[in-house]
Amino acid sequence: MTRPPIDTTHDPARTSWVESANGHRDFPVQNLPYGVFAPPDGTARPGVAIGDAILDLRAAAAAGLLPERAASACNGDALNALMALTPEHRRALRNRLSVLLSDAAYEAALTPMLYAAADSVMQLPTRIGDYTDFYVGIHHASNVGRQFRPDNPLLPNYKYVPIGYHGRASSVRPAGEPVVRPYGQRKPPESAAPIFEPTQRLDYELELGVWIGEGNALGAPIPIGDAARHIVGLSLFNDWSARDFQAWEYQPLGPFLAKNFHSTIAPWVITAEALSPFRIAQPTRPDGDPPPLPYLWDADDQALGAFDVTLEVFLSTAAMRAKGIDAFRLSRGPATNMYWTIAQIVTHHASNGCNLNPGDLLGTGTISAPDREGFGSLLELTAGGTEPLLLPGGERRAFLADGDEIVMRAVAKADGFVPIGFGECRAVILPARCPA
Ligand code: MN
């Protein structure tokens, strides 16, 4: 079961009595993403986005409006319990929410449980136990590899192993929380020894976050045919990177302080159920590439394991915002530029018996298109900083400056269905703080 069933919750004719939902760029009634929000003068609680509003799931559960099993998972201040539900219970909750928010008979009962998203503070969706970052964007891997190894951009393992590393969960923060420019070691090419100072090559990485649902016991791998059961949904994810620190520190054990100072996750979890109509075939591998090893091969996953999602990244500088200049679009491209499917990275992660837990986060790795218009990092867009971008208003950027704000957006589209969006993944850069 790669694709959850397409059902009445996806019906393009279904509308909501929450009027802002109808025609909403991100959150029509066909989407129903989960997040954790704090309403004005209230504590953090699970909610579902509907248009410009958020429905308080804790209140709906307390009022007896949700299926029993799901209701008990909506009591806390994180989505871990909800993510631990079986796909069948998750579907029951989605079906119920779709009815509650489309049938005007429930308007009077639910209106007191609705909050304006603009007045609410979004939190991390889960208590993230573990975070792992992959490297499935083959054009990103090639572009970056080419900067270091012009003749041999991809290492020989790339087409066999979904490459990844264990990231740092504690510094994954919700969108909206500013990013403090990190200090660290870098070694200028002309000097013999490294220096310790704020990064001069601060970059973003356009990624999708993959949320783990049902976990697996230590020692019990997840077969590729079961991987979809363990994936709750996707969110936009910005894996901030200090390229100068990365270049100096990454050998021989891989990414460390260049990556773990901050990562920004978008607040809304777009569920696997909501994304069902937007699944498409995983692109065929180029001639001459090896087929995936059998434990990573599943015909259904190849047929429906990718998503018709368009990703965009915008930059606005402090000066642009002061002058009222719109954010500048840095890139736009499809999410299909992933060499491995999300099912394959989940199966690979657990293939040695490593246990994944509900609410764990996987990053796909930077998703870049083959063409410049769809490059997912400044490292690629500015050719390693050698070709700075000219921004509206006249400023130039090779890497990010203090006050710069990065906003990521995504939308899923398919003929015959209402498009659904991912909300925004937004954060601004603050000046470095001297470690004294
Ligand atoms: Mn990354």
Side-chain angles (χ1 to χ4, degrees), residues 87-107:
E88 294 73 22
H89 286 298
R90 295 198 326 248
R91 275 188 64 213
L93 175 59
R94 173 178 166 84
N95 280 309
R96 182 68 183 156
L97 289 170
S98 180
V99 171
L100 290 173
L101 289 166
S102 58
D103 185 341
Y106 295 102
E107 180 172 357

Side-chain angles (χ1 to χ4, degrees), residues 42-122:
T43 54
R45 64 200 68 185
V48 62
I50 180 76
D52 294 332
I54 304 171
L55 174 67
D56 181 345
L57 286 176
R58 193 198 281 170
L65 291 167
L66 303 183
E68 196 176 336
R69 190 65 207 282
S72 63
C74 292
N75 281 325
D77 58 2
L79 299 178
N80 298 70
L82 192 151
M83 289 186 176
L85 295 173
T86 64
E88 294 73 22
H89 286 298
R90 295 198 326 248
R91 275 188 64 213
L93 175 59
R94 173 178 166 84
N95 280 309
R96 182 68 183 156
L97 289 170
S98 180
V99 171
L100 290 173
L101 289 166
S102 58
D103 185 341
Y106 295 102
E107 180 172 357
L110 288 177
T111 297
M113 304 172 192
L114 283 180
Y115 295 88
D119 298 339
S120 304
V121 180
M122 298 306 299

Side-chain angles (χ1 to χ4, degrees), residues 165-180:
Y165 71 96
H166 284 119
R168 179 90 193 160
S170 67
S171 52
V172 178
R173 294 307 171 96
E177 185 168 326
V179 178
V180 176

